[in-house]
Amino acid sequence: MAPGGFFARALIVDVDGETATGMPFELDERVLRAYLGGVGLGTWLMHRLAPPRVDPLAPEAPLAFVFSSLVGTPLTTSAKFAVVAKSPLTGLLTDALASSQFAIAGKLTGHDAIVIRGRATQLSVLLIDAAGVRLEPAPELAGLPASEAETQARERFGRGWRTAAIGPAGERQVRYATISHDGRHAGRGGLGAVLGAKNIKAVLVRSGTKVSVADQAGVLAAAKDLRKRSFGPATAKYRELGTLANLLAFNAVSTLPTRNFTAATFEGAPKLAAEELHEMRGVARNSCASCSIGCEHIYSRKGGGSQRMEYENVFALGPLCGVSDPDDVFAASARCDELGLDTISAGGTIAWAMECVERGLIDEPWLRFGDGTALLRALDAIGDRSPGLGELLAQGSRAAAGIVGHGSIDFAPQVKGLELPGYEPRSLQSMALGLAVNARGADHNRSGAYEADLSGDVNRFAGGAAHVAAAIGTEDRAAVMDSMILCKFLRGVFEDPFTEWARLLSLVTGWDMDDGELRRAAQRIVRAKRAFNLREGATAADDTLPARMLTTPLELASGRTATLTADRLRSMITSYYVARGFDEAGRVITTDLPDLLLEA
């Protein structure tokens, strides 16, 4: 019998030409308990189902939509799912989370995960419900934005279906294409390209069953309590101004990456600030499915229409590219949504190209920092994979730097191939470690170590032992939240996170779980991610930052200089390896693998 909240099975969907077949894949309860669901379970599935060293865009490369025990419960922010695959951008494990009704409908097909392999002969949609699996040709959806593809699919198949779709960039296998649904995106690592390589424009799911929890009354009481706490001061910033509130705050403390990380303050920041836009452009606030926080802020666009804006897309398409006109940044963000592009990787790759043009390494004189029209032109070239610049930038900054050469890799803003988010590592040195060692690459959602830097508990300009502990702590907490799955914006609501999370899981599943078991699960998930990457060829040399961060001190507006040396970073990484139980080369001990992966 499956534990509460689970079906104890995945669905393996094999697409072969014009047809698709579904096969149940039983999930042992000890796997569910060890990996929790979401990203954790997805990591375990990749170990089992992804052929070693598989090309991420090959038909046999699996892509998994993974749910958790909390999906479908009344617990706030629990309507989330993970998409897990080998990344075409990094060549390593990637996962992305998103919130929408797709999560609930996908789980209520009767599965804890849906894994897709193979390739369709022509552009198609994949439909999955309790009755089975079928593949339907959909050439009429070619070239459409994901939102339009969703609308047409709903009109064709009925309103009961929930849709996750790719845009033109995914069809053309741009290596940082997204998967979108209800206006939200599983954004990082190129998961849209993986689906596009399978010639699948959209996956449609429809609820067809129910799932029970172990303690219905206990879950309802916990949901009521959590909802009440979610309205407290820990989430006030997100409700009032959204994540864009970070922009002016980061600018004030010299940690807002500007013009491809050549500066950490941006003179145009006030024009893009949430405070200014909320006053002049704010039109609405919205929530994800089953969420009581409501962090989504909608702003009016020049010429009509509206756009959802977050800190990361404004940073990447604004300060990072030197663009200060909000209309240009809004338009660029909308273009990324239409094309299905990860805004962070798009902005980072274009900013790198702008610097290459300045240095005379790329002959595209129109592509200049601060030029919003040039930014839009570059995005269109990427989405089209147009010959020359578009094809080059569609590869991401690491691969593009490998083509351009002339030392351009030194200032490509990436780790392991994934472009850096909006945090300056030289002035946030706990975060510097978190970015360097993370399995997904440069990532602020799988390592929130910047919290320690900005708290004042550590000296953010001088990394050391306290920074290592902070990075490990945030990585472990993220591993659990991404596997349960709960929104990170709830993290400040929990006073004793592992104890409270263990109680929630116990109420849903019926397990007698405590904080110690949950901490071990977090560590297991982090180690399993690393083990997958090692299997795929990663080494300790990949745990680093761009050379610019380690050789060029950062001059701050205060007159202070922020310096992060290679020796300091390597010392923190060595300490991180010891604390994680890795060997001196950053490897998971081989004899640990059978227990880690629950193999016989």
Side-chain angles (χ1 to χ4, degrees), residues 144-295:
L144 292 180
S147 59
E148 293 184 27
E150 287 183 56
T151 298
Q152 291 202 20
R154 190 180 304 114
E155 291 173 354
R156 177 177 170 183
F157 297 107
R159 300 188 63 84
W161 295 92
R162 298 291 181 173
T163 306
I166 59 174
E171 292 177 47
R172 298 181 181 115
Q173 296 168 47
V174 174
R175 291 180 182 265
Y176 42 93
T178 63
I179 297 175
S180 305
H181 40 88
D182 295 346
R184 294 170 178 84
H185 315 283
R188 308 229 65 196
L191 294 160
V194 179
L195 199 57
K198 300 183 183 306
N199 229 355
I200 295 174
K201 179 69 175 181
V203 177
L204 282 70
V205 292
R206 182 168 61 181
S207 301
T209 188
K210 295 181 179 180
V211 63
S212 61
V213 298
D215 183 347
Q216 184 69 40
V219 170
L220 288 173
K224 183 178 179 180
D225 173 64
L226 188 57
R227 180 180 177 85
K228 180 179 179 181
R229 286 192 284 162
S230 74
F231 287 111
T235 61
K237 177 181 76 171
Y238 305 116
R239 291 196 308 275
E240 293 166 7
L241 292 174
T243 61
L244 190 51
N246 289 336
L247 193 104
L248 277 189
F250 285 9
N251 198 53
V253 297
S254 298
T255 191
L256 176 62
T258 299
R259 296 185 184 87
N260 197 32
F261 287 84
T262 59
T265 55
F266 184 49
E267 65 280 3
K271 296 181 181 179
L272 299 170
E275 293 81 353
E276 173 75 12
L277 295 176
H278 181 75
E279 182 73 21
M280 303 297 294
R281 303 283 194 93
V283 295
R285 187 165 67 89
N286 200 4
S287 298
C288 295
S290 300
C291 175
S292 54
I293 298 174
C295 71

Side-chain angles (χ1 to χ4, degrees), residues 385-456:
R385 291 194 76 147
S386 57
L389 186 69
E391 179 62 30
L392 175 72
L393 301 188
Q395 308 299 323
S397 62
R398 182 179 66 175
I403 296 168
V404 169
H406 297 286
S408 60
I409 190 62
D410 291 348
F411 56 87
Q414 54 79 37
V415 173
K416 301 180 178 75
L418 188 69
E419 280 68 29
L420 287 153
Y423 302 82
E424 170 52 65
R426 286 164 289 189
S427 60
L428 296 170
Q429 296 196 11
S430 299
M431 191 60 177
L433 173 62
L435 292 170
V437 299
N438 194 267
R440 194 167 73 154
D443 187 1
H444 65 292
N445 276 322
R446 307 299 176 263
S447 174
Y450 61 87
E451 295 174 4
D453 290 314
L454 296 173
S455 70

Side-chain angles (χ1 to χ4, degrees), residues 231-380:
F231 287 111
T235 61
K237 177 181 76 171
Y238 305 116
R239 291 196 308 275
E240 293 166 7
L241 292 174
T243 61
L244 190 51
N246 289 336
L247 193 104
L248 277 189
F250 285 9
N251 198 53
V253 297
S254 298
T255 191
L256 176 62
T258 299
R259 296 185 184 87
N260 197 32
F261 287 84
T262 59
T265 55
F266 184 49
E267 65 280 3
K271 296 181 181 179
L272 299 170
E275 293 81 353
E276 173 75 12
L277 295 176
H278 181 75
E279 182 73 21
M280 303 297 294
R281 303 283 194 93
V283 295
R285 187 165 67 89
N286 200 4
S287 298
C288 295
S290 300
C291 175
S292 54
I293 298 174
C295 71
E296 184 177 286
H297 288 254
I298 312 296
Y299 301 97
S300 61
R301 290 175 53 193
K302 184 178 180 180
S306 60
Q307 181 67 29
R308 177 170 57 96
M309 301 300 289
E310 308 284 352
Y311 169 71
E312 290 295 342
N313 58 339
V314 172
F315 135 77
L317 301 169
L320 194 63
C321 294
V323 177
S324 59
D325 186 327
D327 288 315
D328 290 336
V329 176
F330 282 24
S333 185
R335 194 70 52 84
C336 286
D337 286 353
E338 291 163 5
L339 293 169
L341 290 172
D342 171 23
T343 55
I344 300 176
S345 283
T349 302
I350 291 170
W352 167 84
M354 287 173 167
E355 183 167 348
C356 284
V357 171
E358 277 192 351
R359 291 169 175 253
L361 303 179
I362 292 178
D363 185 19
E364 300 285 355
W366 55 270
L367 188 58
R368 300 183 303 274
F369 283 116
D371 189 329
T373 300
L375 174 63
L376 288 167
R377 180 176 170 184
L379 288 171
D380 285 338

